Amino acid sequence: MSAVNPGRRALDGVRVVDLTQALAGPFCTSLLADQGADVVKVEPPRGDFLRYAGPFASADEPRDYGGVFQSANRNKRSLVLDLKKPEARDVLLRLIDDADVLVENFSAGVMERFGLDYDTLIARNPRLVYASIRGFGDKAGGVSPYRDWPAFDIVAQAMGGLMSITGADSDHPVRVGSGVGDTVPGLFAAFGILAALRDAERTGQGQYVDVAMADAVLAISEVVVNTYGHTGQVPGPIGNQLQGFAPFDTVRAKDGVVALGAPHNPQWTKLAAVMGQSELVDDPRFATDHDRWINRDAVYEVVNAWTERHTVAELIELLGGTVPLGPILDAADIFADPHFRARDMLPTVTHPTSGRTVTVPGIAAKLSHTPGAIDRRAPLIGEHTVEILRESGLDTADLTVLVDAGAIVIPSSQEPVA
């Protein structure tokens, strides 16, 4: 394997115009920025509303730069344009001329009303990859009867099937604790963008990447589709278990619980040996993967009777590296765990107003030659307006006209335009 080249990134030279707010879109474009894409975050004068959501430290004032915003907008530059103004839309078109990708997550029809729809932009820049993330998609991927419905993460989790199989029972459906109704669509959008960029390199022709949040959640709810599609049965919540697999659950320890998975014969055989009960392998109730699932109550009775005689630490010592087992790590545990330190999953950036060091999630996809980096904090609102517009060829007189028209907002900390 050749040496890592920290000075080169996989998406160097790719320009992304980012019109997204909230989490799904910014998460998508942050993945591109981590790999070197020049992501120009175009914000309205009030800024991305995610700026005003926490978490905040007690000393964070003003409260317009929350922790989730920091994480989802690292490595980007911010430009403020009021797209309700025709002059601002003209500026955006200048940016499109030099862009490789545009990403937006407005409600359906907004870009058409701005005169910035896919057909208009692709006529201007035929190689442009245009991506949208909406609750129920847009017309490119098939017109949903819910196309005009607004959506949040919890709606996507509910309608994408994930909540129907999450929780202890069907009377108490549970949303997955993190925003997978946003981040998973962001992942699919990033994948689609990279695939479309590859095709544009070959053909010179861009295309529309249409991602629905509900579709993305359904795509990872394999139990929903596979069970009903093959058996006609509607699966419901079964806690921490997984349909068809046993043991595959949390099990009791003397001082807590651990996650354990030994559902296949090789793992079950190893578990039985460590437990000192190798005879379980020949027990007809447990002879196959399917038998263990059908007789899962008996499986868990046997396993829990053994695990609850040991502490979590003892179970890790006995089973770690032998069968899939892990402790339930909370945030403090994760920050102290050597795995995440070794994998650089907790990098830090500097808060722009307090100057304190804050942690953001690291880059999960480790590329051997172009690993990417998180080396730029999320921008202040409009922090790079003048810089970006000067790169686009606008001079001081042009900037003054735009300011007077209310099309752009330049923070007082930036150079004067007149």
Side-chain angles (χ1 to χ4, degrees):
M1 182 181 296
S2 61
V4 167
N5 183 346
R8 184 170 67 86
R9 303 186 191 179
L11 297 181
D12 281 347
V14 173
R15 166 65 72 88
V16 178
V17 175
D18 180 2
L19 299 179
T20 68
Q21 298 189 58
L23 182 54
F27 182 76
C28 164
T29 52
S30 74
L31 300 177
L32 306 178
D34 289 348
Q35 283 297 335
D38 177 19
V39 177
V40 175
K41 183 177 180 67
V42 179
E43 299 187 67
R46 60 169 170 76
D48 182 342
F49 61 80
L50 191 63
R51 288 181 175 274
Y52 307 100
F56 297 101
S58 58
D60 288 347
E61 294 293 345
R63 297 208 161 189
D64 57 0
Y65 192 89
V68 180
F69 177 85
Q70 168 77 281
S71 175
N73 291 281
R74 72 273 188 107
N75 287 334
K76 303 179 187 178
R77 299 190 289 167
S78 172
L79 160 69
V80 170
L81 293 177
D82 185 352
L83 293 179
K84 296 177 182 178
K85 307 286 186 180
E87 297 88 349
R89 297 195 290 273
D90 289 341
V91 170
L92 185 68
L93 290 173
R94 290 179 68 110
L95 296 177
I96 294 299
D97 290 343
D98 295 323
D100 301 286
V101 179
L102 178 139
V103 188
E104 52 96 355
N105 61 347
F106 291 115
S107 298
V110 169
M111 290 292 278
E112 285 83 354
R113 292 195 292 274
F114 283 152
L116 299 170
D117 56 281
Y118 169 73
D119 291 334
T120 297
L121 298 185
I122 205 77
R124 188 177 182 106
N125 180 354
R127 63 185 175 79
L128 182 72
V129 172
Y130 183 116
S132 68
I133 305 172
R134 317 198 201 290
F136 302 95
D138 211 307
K139 58 187 177 182
V143 179
S144 167
Y146 315 125
R147 176 173 178 255
D148 295 325
W149 287 21
F152 278 118
D153 156 71
I154 192 170
V155 174
Q157 290 199 35
M159 295 186 70
L162 192 57
M163 285 180 65
S164 75
I165 56 172
T166 304
D169 57 62
S170 58
D171 292 331
H172 302 88
V174 174
R175 169 190 170 272
V176 174
S178 66
V180 297
D182 285 314
T183 54
V184 168
L187 281 167
F188 277 111
F191 167 79
I193 288 166
L194 293 178
L197 280 172
R198 180 72 179 99
D199 187 67
E201 289 176 357
R202 291 194 300 250
T203 67
Q205 182 65 48
Q207 57 185 300
Y208 197 128
V209 178
D210 177 4
V211 175
M213 294 164 65
D215 294 356
V217 171
L218 179 61
I220 64 163
S221 301
E222 77 287 349
V223 171
V224 173
V225 175
N226 296 342
T227 302
Y228 191 79
H230 285 77
T231 70
Q233 297 176 348
V234 177
I238 51 175
N240 292 321
Q241 297 179 17
L242 179 63
Q243 184 85 22
F245 293 77
F248 190 101
D249 202 343
T250 53
V251 294
R252 298 187 299 271
K254 187 183 295 185
D255 59 348
V257 295
V258 295
L260 172 70
H264 305 307
N265 281 351
Q267 299 143 3
W268 176 246
T269 299
K270 291 177 181 179
L271 177 60
V274 174
M275 291 194 301
Q277 301 178 60
S278 294
E279 69 277 5
L280 294 174
V281 174
D282 299 319
D283 189 317
R285 297 174 300 169
F286 311 140
T288 68
D289 294 6
H290 184 67
D291 290 331
R292 288 189 293 279
W293 169 249
I294 296 299
N295 297 293
R296 58 190 176 278
D297 289 344
V299 168
Y300 290 114
E301 183 179 353
V302 168
V303 173
N304 275 291
W306 179 78
T307 59
E308 64 189 4
R309 300 201 305 265
H310 302 279
T311 66
V312 169
E314 289 168 348
L315 290 174
I316 292 171
E317 181 67 24
L318 288 165
L319 295 174
T322 301
V323 298
L325 172 135
I328 313 299
L329 302 183
D330 63 19
D333 296 327
I334 286 170
F335 272 66
D337 193 275
H339 165 84
F340 300 104
R341 184 166 55 251
R343 300 283 293 178
D344 195 24
M345 285 305 299
L346 298 168
T348 58
V349 292
T350 301
H351 192 282
T353 56
S354 68
R356 65 187 175 88
T357 297
V358 295
T359 303
V360 296
I363 299 172
K366 311 296 188 185
L367 277 65
S368 60
H369 295 167
T370 54
I374 299 170
D375 53 13
R376 186 200 293 259
R377 60 164 173 78
L380 296 168
I381 183 169
E383 182 173 350
H384 306 95
T385 295
V386 171
E387 174 182 301
I388 293 167
L389 295 184
R390 288 199 180 281
E391 289 173 0
S392 296
L394 301 182
D395 59 21
T396 298
D398 297 323
L399 296 178
T400 301
V401 169
L402 291 170
V403 170
D404 291 343
I408 67 173
V409 176
I410 298 176
S412 58
S413 59
Q414 295 186 26
E415 62 178 282
V417 298

